Amino acid sequence: MEKTKVLIIEDEAAIAELLAYGLTREGYEVQTAGSSAEGMREVERFRPDLLILDWMLPDGSGLDICKKVTASHNIPILMVTAKSDITDKILGLEFGADDYITKPFDLREVIARIRTILRRFAQASQTSQEEAGGETLRFNHIEIIRGERMVKRRGETVDLTPKEFDLLLKLCSNRGRIFTREELLELVWGYDYVGETRTVDNHIQRLRKKLDVGELITTVFGIGYKFEKDAD
């Protein structure tokens, strides 16, 4: 049985070593990187199942890595930050992180969060795969080619992030159903979220803009969102 692979991008050697030691003892295969550049190389080479990402790195921001990774890979991300401000934490989630933990931390909590993220990520991926099978979805000038995870607008491929695709597919596969923001976070992101739900709002706004479907993805005031049932 293959081990779950975890990549740690952290420039503080003591913290990286602590995390690597603890995760290795728990049975994970671990690789570390001390900079943004090295980290991105390891993402492609090591192909991790989960990424532990420091907010501040010597050659850039962890947020930049977060954005790059989520644009082209479907890898859950746990951000490690010295920032305790809730606004900064929300920003990390909006850039694609799945959870965050603040320094100093207890290694047992990190391991518990990793297990939770991976469990919920697997559940969300299974649901997404079940919905992704079968026919191409078409409405107005949009095609969702489920098996290829591709979206076309008037015949041209639209560049969606993995989360944007999953969110669109979830809504479109359940036309007419109203989803709360919390439900969408649980179903698409695969984790329980406490606090702000702007992550969903921002992704909805980007979908509307990229696909020009503002009239089809409807805001249900005080509740959440739905994809109009009569879309064709």
Side-chain angles (χ1 to χ4, degrees):
M1 184 176 180
E2 291 187 3
K3 293 182 178 181
T4 299
K5 297 194 292 185
V6 178
L7 172 61
I8 302 167
I9 305 179
E10 166 64 66
D11 65 313
E12 293 187 47
I15 294 177
E17 290 171 5
L18 172 65
L19 288 169
Y21 172 76
L23 292 174
T24 300
R25 288 196 60 179
E26 290 294 319
Y28 296 99
E29 183 180 348
V30 180
Q31 181 65 42
T32 62
S35 68
S36 297
E38 183 185 2
M40 288 305 301
R41 288 195 297 269
E42 287 300 323
V43 167
E44 300 300 331
R45 185 198 68 81
F46 186 56
R47 297 288 178 177
D49 299 299
L50 181 136
L51 176 61
I52 299 179
L53 177 60
D54 188 21
W55 182 289
M56 297 298 295
L57 294 163
D59 58 341
S61 169
L63 290 178
D64 293 332
I65 293 182
C66 196
K67 187 176 180 179
K68 291 176 182 176
V69 169
T70 55
S72 56
H73 299 80
N74 202 18
I75 304 172
I77 298 173
L78 173 63
M79 290 206 74
V80 180
T81 173
K83 297 174 178 287
S84 60
D85 190 291
I86 188 64
T87 302
D88 292 322
K89 294 175 180 178
I90 292 169
L91 183 61
L93 295 171
E94 290 178 352
F95 269 69
D98 293 87
D99 201 355
Y100 58 81
I101 192 163
T102 305
K103 299 176 184 177
F105 53 77
D106 188 309
L107 184 58
R108 292 170 297 180
E109 183 182 0
V110 175
I111 292 170
R113 284 177 182 262
I114 288 173
R115 288 173 177 166
T116 298
I117 292 171
L118 289 172
R119 182 176 66 251
R120 297 193 179 282
F121 184 79
Q123 292 170 347
S125 296
Q126 181 178 354
T127 299
S128 178
Q129 289 170 6
E130 290 170 354
E131 291 178 341
E135 79 285 357
T136 297
L137 296 178
R138 293 180 175 86
F139 54 93
N140 290 14
H141 49 272
I142 303 297
E143 289 181 283
I144 303 177
I145 307 169
R146 300 208 235 187
E148 299 179 34
R149 291 182 63 84
M150 180 185 297
V151 176
K152 292 186 176 181
R153 176 175 178 262
R154 296 190 175 93
E156 297 292 328
T157 301
V158 180
D159 184 20
L160 297 183
T161 68
K163 287 294 190 293
E164 287 170 350
F165 179 88
D166 291 340
L167 179 58
L168 176 64
L169 183 59
K170 175 62 65 177
L171 292 168
C172 192
S173 298
N174 297 273
R175 298 182 186 184
R177 175 182 168 182
I178 300 172
F179 289 93
T180 66
R181 292 169 176 83
E182 289 78 10
E183 284 177 319
L184 290 171
L185 282 167
E186 175 68 21
L187 292 168
V188 175
W189 277 258
Y191 63 89
D192 286 324
Y193 184 87
V194 178
E196 295 280 349
T197 52
R198 292 188 301 170
T199 297
V200 172
D201 297 336
N202 290 338
H203 278 72
I204 291 289
Q205 290 172 14
R206 287 197 287 268
L207 281 176
R208 286 170 170 165
K209 183 176 181 180
K210 288 182 178 182
L211 301 176
D212 191 22
V213 292
E215 74 282 3
L216 297 180
I217 302 177
T218 305
T219 301
V220 182
F221 183 74
I223 302 177
Y225 297 97
K226 71 174 181 177
F227 198 97
E228 290 297 332
K229 197 170 185 178
D230 57 355
D232 55 28

mmCIF file of all heavy atoms in Angstrom, residues 3 20 39 49 54 63 70 78 84 87 90 95 107 115 121 127 137 142 148 157 174 177-178 211 213 221 231:
data_model
loop_
_atom_site.group_PDB
_atom_site.id
_atom_site.type_symbol
_atom_site.label_atom_id
_atom_site.label_comp_id
_atom_site.label_asym_id
_atom_site.label_seq_id
_atom_site.Cartn_x
_atom_site.Cartn_y
_atom_site.Cartn_z
ATOM 1 N N LYS A 3 2.234 4.942 0.577
ATOM 2 C CA LYS A 3 2.092 5.911 1.652
ATOM 3 C C LYS A 3 1.526 7.222 1.111
ATOM 4 O O LYS A 3 1.763 7.591 -0.035
ATOM 5 C CB LYS A 3 3.445 6.172 2.315
ATOM 6 C CG LYS A 3 4.021 4.991 3.072
ATOM 7 C CD LYS A 3 5.335 5.385 3.738
ATOM 8 C CE LYS A 3 5.911 4.227 4.545
ATOM 9 N NZ LYS A 3 7.181 4.615 5.216
ATOM 10 N N ALA A 20 8.409 17.057 9.724
ATOM 11 C CA ALA A 20 8.827 15.877 8.964
ATOM 12 C C ALA A 20 8.980 14.664 9.885
ATOM 13 O O ALA A 20 8.563 13.548 9.544
ATOM 14 C CB ALA A 20 10.134 16.162 8.232
ATOM 15 N N GLY A 39 9.968 24.695 -3.620
ATOM 16 C CA GLY A 39 8.672 24.097 -3.340
ATOM 17 C C GLY A 39 7.898 23.776 -4.608
ATOM 18 O O GLY A 39 7.321 22.686 -4.740
ATOM 19 N N ASP A 49 0.288 14.342 -1.933
ATOM 20 C CA ASP A 49 -1.154 14.203 -1.696
ATOM 21 C C ASP A 49 -1.672 15.327 -0.820
ATOM 22 O O ASP A 49 -2.878 15.577 -0.773
ATOM 23 C CB ASP A 49 -1.440 12.856 -1.019
ATOM 24 C CG ASP A 49 -1.004 11.680 -1.873
ATOM 25 O OD1 ASP A 49 -1.531 11.537 -2.993
ATOM 26 O OD2 ASP A 49 -0.118 10.919 -1.431
ATOM 27 N N ASP A 54 4.074 27.252 4.457
ATOM 28 C CA ASP A 54 4.311 28.408 5.312
ATOM 29 C C ASP A 54 3.841 29.677 4.602
ATOM 30 O O ASP A 54 3.986 29.815 3.383
ATOM 31 C CB ASP A 54 5.798 28.517 5.643
ATOM 32 C CG ASP A 54 6.080 29.591 6.685
ATOM 33 O OD1 ASP A 54 5.152 29.960 7.430
ATOM 34 O OD2 ASP A 54 7.222 30.073 6.734
ATOM 35 N N LEU A 63 1.055 32.531 -0.250
ATOM 36 C CA LEU A 63 -0.198 32.762 -0.966
ATOM 37 C C LEU A 63 -0.001 32.616 -2.470
ATOM 38 O O LEU A 63 -0.890 32.130 -3.178
ATOM 39 C CB LEU A 63 -0.741 34.153 -0.646
ATOM 40 C CG LEU A 63 -1.267 34.375 0.771
ATOM 41 C CD1 LEU A 63 -1.731 35.816 0.930
ATOM 42 C CD2 LEU A 63 -2.403 33.415 1.095
ATOM 43 N N THR A 70 -3.336 25.636 -6.775
ATOM 44 C CA THR A 70 -4.766 25.376 -6.950
ATOM 45 C C THR A 70 -5.228 25.651 -8.378
ATOM 46 O O THR A 70 -6.275 25.148 -8.787
ATOM 47 C CB THR A 70 -5.599 26.233 -5.985
ATOM 48 O OG1 THR A 70 -5.277 27.623 -6.149
ATOM 49 C CG2 THR A 70 -5.341 25.832 -4.542
ATOM 50 N N LEU A 78 -2.633 22.852 3.708
ATOM 51 C CA LEU A 78 -2.707 23.330 5.086
ATOM 52 C C LEU A 78 -1.680 24.440 5.228
ATOM 53 O O LEU A 78 -0.481 24.210 5.091
ATOM 54 C CB LEU A 78 -2.395 22.195 6.072
ATOM 55 C CG LEU A 78 -2.262 22.595 7.551
ATOM 56 C CD1 LEU A 78 -3.577 23.156 8.085
ATOM 57 C CD2 LEU A 78 -1.802 21.404 8.395
ATOM 58 N N SER A 84 -2.200 35.868 13.261
ATOM 59 C CA SER A 84 -3.389 35.442 13.994
ATOM 60 C C SER A 84 -4.632 36.205 13.582
ATOM 61 O O SER A 84 -5.732 35.879 14.000
ATOM 62 C CB SER A 84 -3.167 35.606 15.508
ATOM 63 O OG SER A 84 -2.894 36.968 15.819
ATOM 64 N N THR A 87 -8.623 38.052 9.250
ATOM 65 C CA THR A 87 -8.653 38.494 7.854
ATOM 66 C C THR A 87 -7.575 37.792 7.041
ATOM 67 O O THR A 87 -7.804 37.379 5.903
ATOM 68 C CB THR A 87 -8.465 40.020 7.753
ATOM 69 O OG1 THR A 87 -9.487 40.668 8.509
ATOM 70 C CG2 THR A 87 -8.533 40.481 6.312
ATOM 71 N N ILE A 90 -8.624 34.166 6.455
ATOM 72 C CA ILE A 90 -9.656 34.092 5.416
ATOM 73 C C ILE A 90 -9.029 34.285 4.042
ATOM 74 O O ILE A 90 -9.391 33.598 3.076
ATOM 75 C CB ILE A 90 -10.755 35.144 5.670
ATOM 76 C CG1 ILE A 90 -11.546 34.775 6.929
ATOM 77 C CG2 ILE A 90 -11.698 35.249 4.476
ATOM 78 C CD1 ILE A 90 -12.465 35.863 7.407
ATOM 79 N N PHE A 95 -7.490 32.036 -1.304
ATOM 80 C CA PHE A 95 -6.468 31.745 -2.306
ATOM 81 C C PHE A 95 -6.377 30.252 -2.595
ATOM 82 O O PHE A 95 -5.597 29.838 -3.442
ATOM 83 C CB PHE A 95 -5.106 32.268 -1.845
ATOM 84 C CG PHE A 95 -4.815 33.667 -2.285
ATOM 85 C CD1 PHE A 95 -5.509 34.739 -1.764
ATOM 86 C CD2 PHE A 95 -3.840 33.919 -3.242
ATOM 87 C CE1 PHE A 95 -5.248 36.042 -2.169
ATOM 88 C CE2 PHE A 95 -3.560 35.209 -3.651
ATOM 89 C CZ PHE A 95 -4.277 36.277 -3.122
ATOM 90 N N LEU A 107 2.096 19.602 17.568
ATOM 91 C CA LEU A 107 2.229 18.650 16.476
ATOM 92 C C LEU A 107 1.020 17.717 16.385
ATOM 93 O O LEU A 107 0.594 17.337 15.290
ATOM 94 C CB LEU A 107 3.512 17.832 16.648
ATOM 95 C CG LEU A 107 3.851 16.831 15.529
ATOM 96 C CD1 LEU A 107 3.973 17.539 14.185
ATOM 97 C CD2 LEU A 107 5.139 16.088 15.870
ATOM 98 N N ARG A 115 -5.316 14.621 8.991
ATOM 99 C CA ARG A 115 -6.223 13.476 8.835
ATOM 100 C C ARG A 115 -7.619 13.929 8.435
ATOM 101 O O ARG A 115 -8.257 13.322 7.560
ATOM 102 C CB ARG A 115 -6.278 12.690 10.142
ATOM 103 C CG ARG A 115 -5.016 11.900 10.443
ATOM 104 C CD ARG A 115 -5.078 11.289 11.817
ATOM 105 N NE ARG A 115 -3.911 10.463 12.105
ATOM 106 C CZ ARG A 115 -3.579 10.041 13.311
ATOM 107 N NH1 ARG A 115 -4.329 10.378 14.359
ATOM 108 N NH2 ARG A 115 -2.510 9.287 13.490
ATOM 109 N N PHE A 121 -11.315 15.479 1.945
ATOM 110 C CA PHE A 121 -10.902 15.642 0.552
ATOM 111 C C PHE A 121 -11.249 14.385 -0.248
ATOM 112 O O PHE A 121 -11.730 14.472 -1.377
ATOM 113 C CB PHE A 121 -9.403 15.911 0.493
ATOM 114 C CG PHE A 121 -8.892 16.198 -0.888
ATOM 115 C CD1 PHE A 121 -9.062 17.457 -1.458
ATOM 116 C CD2 PHE A 121 -8.235 15.220 -1.611
ATOM 117 C CE1 PHE A 121 -8.583 17.728 -2.732
ATOM 118 C CE2 PHE A 121 -7.757 15.484 -2.883
ATOM 119 C CZ PHE A 121 -7.928 16.738 -3.447
ATOM 120 N N THR A 127 -17.350 12.078 -4.464
ATOM 121 C CA THR A 127 -18.611 12.662 -4.919
ATOM 122 C C THR A 127 -18.432 13.333 -6.270
ATOM 123 O O THR A 127 -19.268 13.200 -7.167
ATOM 124 C CB THR A 127 -19.117 13.695 -3.899
ATOM 125 O OG1 THR A 127 -19.335 13.039 -2.652
ATOM 126 C CG2 THR A 127 -20.432 14.313 -4.357
ATOM 127 N N LEU A 137 -22.655 18.085 -20.079
ATOM 128 C CA LEU A 137 -23.750 18.984 -19.716
ATOM 129 C C LEU A 137 -23.702 20.212 -20.617
ATOM 130 O O LEU A 137 -22.622 20.776 -20.838
ATOM 131 C CB LEU A 137 -23.639 19.396 -18.250
ATOM 132 C CG LEU A 137 -23.779 18.282 -17.202
ATOM 133 C CD1 LEU A 137 -23.586 18.856 -15.811
ATOM 134 C CD2 LEU A 137 -25.135 17.607 -17.288
ATOM 135 N N ILE A 142 -22.647 27.139 -23.011
ATOM 136 C CA ILE A 142 -21.628 26.485 -22.187
ATOM 137 C C ILE A 142 -21.723 24.963 -22.312
ATOM 138 O O ILE A 142 -22.816 24.403 -22.361
ATOM 139 C CB ILE A 142 -21.796 26.877 -20.703
ATOM 140 C CG1 ILE A 142 -21.736 28.399 -20.526
ATOM 141 C CG2 ILE A 142 -20.736 26.195 -19.836
ATOM 142 C CD1 ILE A 142 -20.412 29.012 -20.907
ATOM 143 N N GLU A 148 -13.496 14.838 -18.936
ATOM 144 C CA GLU A 148 -12.230 15.533 -19.182
ATOM 145 C C GLU A 148 -12.026 16.722 -18.254
ATOM 146 O O GLU A 148 -11.002 17.412 -18.344
ATOM 147 C CB GLU A 148 -12.171 16.015 -20.637
ATOM 148 C CG GLU A 148 -12.241 14.897 -21.656
ATOM 149 C CD GLU A 148 -12.204 15.415 -23.079
ATOM 150 O OE1 GLU A 148 -11.524 16.433 -23.336
ATOM 151 O OE2 GLU A 148 -12.867 14.813 -23.948
ATOM 152 N N THR A 157 -12.218 26.805 -24.908
ATOM 153 C CA THR A 157 -11.960 26.289 -23.566
ATOM 154 C C THR A 157 -11.808 27.426 -22.569
ATOM 155 O O THR A 157 -11.111 28.406 -22.830
ATOM 156 C CB THR A 157 -10.688 25.420 -23.559
ATOM 157 O OG1 THR A 157 -10.848 24.334 -24.474
ATOM 158 C CG2 THR A 157 -10.418 24.870 -22.161
ATOM 159 N N ASN A 174 -27.232 19.726 -10.015
ATOM 160 C CA ASN A 174 -28.379 19.761 -9.087
ATOM 161 C C ASN A 174 -29.209 21.010 -9.367
ATOM 162 O O ASN A 174 -29.481 21.812 -8.465
ATOM 163 C CB ASN A 174 -27.889 19.749 -7.635
ATOM 164 C CG ASN A 174 -27.145 18.480 -7.283
ATOM 165 O OD1 ASN A 174 -27.737 17.491 -6.894
ATOM 166 N ND2 ASN A 174 -25.820 18.505 -7.425
ATOM 167 N N ARG A 177 -31.813 23.164 -7.082
ATOM 168 C CA ARG A 177 -31.594 22.953 -5.651
ATOM 169 C C ARG A 177 -30.847 24.139 -5.060
ATOM 170 O O ARG A 177 -29.869 24.611 -5.626
ATOM 171 C CB ARG A 177 -30.794 21.674 -5.401
ATOM 172 C CG ARG A 177 -30.451 21.490 -3.922
ATOM 173 C CD ARG A 177 -29.628 20.257 -3.663
ATOM 174 N NE ARG A 177 -29.093 20.263 -2.314
ATOM 175 C CZ ARG A 177 -28.296 19.305 -1.817
ATOM 176 N NH1 ARG A 177 -27.963 18.271 -2.567
ATOM 177 N NH2 ARG A 177 -27.850 19.394 -0.575
ATOM 178 N N ILE A 178 -31.310 24.601 -3.918
ATOM 179 C CA ILE A 178 -30.637 25.693 -3.221
ATOM 180 C C ILE A 178 -29.601 25.118 -2.262
ATOM 181 O O ILE A 178 -29.918 24.272 -1.429
ATOM 182 C CB ILE A 178 -31.650 26.555 -2.433
ATOM 183 C CG1 ILE A 178 -32.679 27.152 -3.386
ATOM 184 C CG2 ILE A 178 -30.934 27.656 -1.663
ATOM 185 C CD1 ILE A 178 -33.823 27.864 -2.672
ATOM 186 N N LEU A 211 -17.762 32.723 -17.332
ATOM 187 C CA LEU A 211 -18.693 31.990 -18.182
ATOM 188 C C LEU A 211 -19.841 32.841 -18.699
ATOM 189 O O LEU A 211 -20.601 32.395 -19.553
ATOM 190 C CB LEU A 211 -19.271 30.790 -17.411
ATOM 191 C CG LEU A 211 -18.251 29.767 -16.905
ATOM 192 C CD1 LEU A 211 -18.957 28.701 -16.085
ATOM 193 C CD2 LEU A 211 -17.506 29.130 -18.064
ATOM 194 N N VAL A 213 -22.574 33.739 -17.082
ATOM 195 C CA VAL A 213 -23.808 33.023 -16.715
ATOM 196 C C VAL A 213 -24.422 33.634 -15.458
ATOM 197 O O VAL A 213 -25.001 32.925 -14.633
ATOM 198 C CB VAL A 213 -23.551 31.515 -16.498
ATOM 199 C CG1 VAL A 213 -23.190 30.838 -17.803
ATOM 200 C CG2 VAL A 213 -22.439 31.290 -15.455
ATOM 201 N N PHE A 221 -31.300 35.061 -1.515
ATOM 202 C CA PHE A 221 -30.997 35.980 -0.419
ATOM 203 C C PHE A 221 -31.131 35.310 0.949
ATOM 204 O O PHE A 221 -32.127 34.662 1.252
ATOM 205 C CB PHE A 221 -31.928 37.195 -0.482
ATOM 206 C CG PHE A 221 -31.637 38.226 0.578
ATOM 207 C CD1 PHE A 221 -30.517 39.050 0.484
ATOM 208 C CD2 PHE A 221 -32.458 38.354 1.682
ATOM 209 C CE1 PHE A 221 -30.245 39.988 1.458
ATOM 210 C CE2 PHE A 221 -32.199 39.291 2.672
ATOM 211 C CZ PHE A 221 -31.079 40.113 2.554
ATOM 212 N N ALA A 231 -32.473 26.176 -17.206
ATOM 213 C CA ALA A 231 -31.371 26.516 -18.095
ATOM 214 C C ALA A 231 -31.280 25.460 -19.196
ATOM 215 O O ALA A 231 -31.424 24.265 -18.964
ATOM 216 C CB ALA A 231 -30.047 26.531 -17.318
#
